[in-house]
Every structure is written in C-alpha cells, then in structure tokens.
Amino acid sequence: MTVHSVQQMIRYLAVMGLNRLLLYTEDTYEIKSRPYFGYMRGRYSHDELKKIDDYAFMFGVEVVPCIQTLAHLQQALKWSSASELRDTADILLVGEPQTYQFIEDMITAASAPFRSSRIHIGMDEAFAVGLGQYLAKNGYRTRFDIMISHLERVLEITWKLGLKPMIWSDMIFHFLSNDAQGFHYPLDVDFSQEMLSRLPADLQYVYWCYGTTGQLKYEIIMEKHKELGSTSVFAGGIHCWGGFSPNYGKTWNISHPALRACVAQGVREVIATSWGDNGQETNHFTYCRACSCLRSTGMPMM
C-alpha cells in the first residue's frame, strides 16, 4: 500500500470504530545502514511511516509496527551480504552477534517513527529453526531451547528500547508438542511447570487461527494460553488471499465461533488479519454489498 492508501484505510478503520492498525512489514521499511534491506521492494521511509502515524493519531488510531525477527525473512536474507545471518532461506541464524545487531537495527528502524510503545516481533512458523547453518555450526539442539534462547536475546533489545513486545504463539505450542509432524496449536502440548518457567515474562502472546469452525477448539487453545502468564490476543482471518475476491463465506463461518470464544474466555483484544500471501490478487479495497462491510488486504487490523 502507498502512504495515501494506508491513510484511506485509517479513515475506514476510524469510521468502523477500530482503534488500532498493525502495519505488517517484513523488509518493507528503511534501515539506512543496510541498503539491501527492502531494496526494490517498495519499502517505506522513516518519514513516510511517521506521516502514517501522524495521520492515524488525528483519528484516534494507534499504529503498531508488526515485523519479523526469526522466520519469514526470505526477501531480506536472499542477498549475499546476508549470508552470515542466514540459518535457512527464510530463518535467521540464532546465537550469533551479527544476528542480534541486525535485529536491533530492524527493531530500532521499525519502531522509531511511531508513538506507540507496542511492537509485534513475529516469530511464527519457524519450523526449521536450528536445522540449517545453525546445525552445521553448533550441532543438534532442541528447537524449543533454540527458540527460547533467541527470544530472550530479542526481548533484551525491545526492553532496552522501552518497547512492549508481542509474538505469535504458534511455535511455543508446536515445539512443546509430542506430535513432531503436527501443525500449529496442537492440543497435546507439554505445559509442565518446568517448561512454563522457561518462558520470558512481560510478553504478550497472539493466538492466530484462520480456519477453525468449532467454538470449543478455540476456547481450549485460549484456555491454554492463560498458562503462559499474560492475557493473550486473538488473531482471526479475513480470507482475502485465495483468489480475486474475499472469501466471505469462510470468513463468516470461522469468525463467529472465534469471537464467541473470545467473549467466553475474556479475550479483550482481537486482530482481524487480512494478509497478502502467495501472490494474492484481491483488491485492497473491496466492499461486500451484502453486509456493507469493508474488507482489505495487506495488513492485520486490531
């Protein structure tokens, strides 16, 4: 989205009564010391992001940077200059000093333009962490151990900068599951006191789910999140990444049980994600005539 388009979206959010915009970027923001970061990707400059934040502030909308600090970084890591930062094609190499300098540069650049002290630092779908260059350098280590050590190092950066971080919670569940082949949020997780005690404090977890139609399953996972030590956020999906138009039927069928579960479990913050994955072709501003609701793509809304 251009700055103008984001401003248009902010006006719609304000009219709909939504009070927060999570502007999702992977490498599409400027780090002045790293010219290849976001190169030829339409990255936002610092001034453009500040302009977005100033505009949102007029409407009472908080803009929160939403970035990645572990996986989903294939575009940033594809350059030869990033070879020492790469574990696998899209995952950062954990444990190396240059990695955490890179992450500090990312977090500093992503958060500086905004008034908000909140930041979403990602960390979802890092299934192959520790199984690439990390394995060759360090030998085998459980992915949960790698994830926790990495998370602690990244949180040191956010706390130093006075930020309040949140992460996607799927890898915590996945790495503590007995089902090594399972996808996100298996129900057989090992939430023993020993494991829970290793999780960092002062961190908010975001439970994302875009396909479940049963309220009970949502509630079971939300209940499990209470053991992590903070009030979780729920992120559902406005399905706009599967073709030329939003899938209203699927969106409707998954959103109603999810929101009922949020009410039942006391979840107070909900994100309506509208991703732009996998070459999606849905227009960013598409209206549903049947229900007069705006649907958008390219960023999650909160």
Side-chain angles (χ1 to χ4, degrees):
M1 280 190 172
T2 64
V3 171
H4 175 77
S5 293
V6 176
Q7 290 174 334
Q8 182 178 350
M9 184 62 65
I10 288 166
R11 295 195 296 273
Y12 290 146
L13 299 185
V15 168
M16 291 188 288
L18 300 175
N19 64 356
R20 189 170 294 129
L21 168 68
L22 273 73
L23 185 63
Y24 180 76
T25 53
E26 291 175 2
D27 64 325
T28 52
Y29 56 97
E30 179 184 44
I31 303 177
K32 290 187 181 297
S33 62
R34 298 181 183 270
Y36 279 99
F37 188 84
Y39 177 66
M40 297 295 288
R41 290 264 290 155
R43 62 191 173 198
Y44 296 110
S45 69
H46 172 95
D47 290 343
E48 287 175 325
L49 292 175
K50 188 177 187 306
K51 186 175 182 180
I52 289 170
D53 190 60
D54 289 341
Y55 192 82
F57 183 72
M58 294 193 301
F59 291 89
V61 174
E62 177 188 8
V63 184
V64 176
C66 187
I67 66 172
Q68 292 289 353
T69 57
L70 183 56
H72 285 295
L73 287 169
Q74 183 171 3
Q75 295 298 325
L77 297 177
K78 67 185 179 182
W79 305 103
S80 58
S81 59
S83 61
E84 293 185 350
L85 303 171
R86 190 187 307 128
D87 182 5
T88 66
D90 70 331
I91 297 178
L92 287 170
L93 181 57
V94 172
E96 299 297 320
Q98 65 271 17
T99 297
Y100 298 99
Q101 183 58 60
F102 176 61
I103 291 172
E104 183 164 351
D105 291 346
M106 284 197 295
I107 293 174
T108 300
S111 62
F114 300 107
R115 290 171 171 81
S116 178
S117 62
R118 301 182 77 176
I119 186 169
H120 197 313
I121 55 176
M123 299 204 185
D124 60 312
E125 296 184 315
F127 298 105
V129 66
L131 301 179
Q133 188 176 184
Y134 182 94
L135 182 63
K137 290 172 67 74
N138 302 286
Y140 178 76
R141 189 181 178 195
T142 70
R143 291 174 297 164
F144 180 73
D145 288 342
I146 296 171
M147 176 83 176
I148 293 303
S149 66
H150 179 67
L151 181 55
E152 289 173 345
R153 294 282 296 273
V154 177
L155 292 182
E156 288 177 4
I157 296 169
T158 59
W159 295 332
K160 181 176 73 172
L161 296 174
L163 300 173
K164 300 175 182 176
M166 62 181 91
I167 67 167
W168 306 110
S169 59
D170 55 314
M171 288 297 94
I172 301 296
F173 278 72
H174 182 79
F175 292 153
L176 289 180
S177 170
N178 294 319
D179 182 6
Q181 303 302 317
F183 194 49
H184 69 297
Y185 300 110
L187 300 180
D188 64 341
V189 292
D190 175 14
F191 273 6
S192 62
Q193 193 56 46
E194 176 188 358
M195 291 302 183
L196 291 175
S197 67
R198 298 179 59 190
L199 297 177
D202 300 322
L203 175 65
Q204 197 167 29
Y205 295 91
V206 184
Y207 163 36
W208 63 270
C209 187
Y210 312 139
T212 298
T213 57
Q215 180 178 340
L216 180 59
K217 186 171 182 180
Y218 283 117
E219 288 202 46
I220 291 172
I221 301 298
M222 290 174 186
E223 188 71 38
K224 294 295 289 184
H225 273 77
K226 294 177 182 178
E227 300 180 48
L228 299 179
S230 68
T231 303
S232 64
V233 176
F234 175 73
I238 297 176
H239 279 261
C240 55
W241 52 81
F244 289 104
S245 64
N247 187 334
Y248 295 116
K250 187 168 187 177
T251 299
W252 182 276
N253 289 334
I254 65 171
S255 295
H256 279 250
L259 293 174
R260 286 195 295 266
C262 288
V263 172
Q265 289 296 318
V267 174
R268 303 295 299 170
E269 292 182 293
V270 173
I271 303 171
T273 69
S274 46
W275 300 106
D277 296 55
N278 306 324
Q280 62 87 21
E281 296 166 308
T282 306
N283 186 278
H284 286 87
F285 298 91
T286 304
Y287 289 90
C288 171
R289 294 179 181 274
C291 60
S292 300
C293 291
L294 173 77
R295 304 305 188 200
S296 70
T297 63
M299 64 186 71
M301 298 174 292
M302 190 170 184

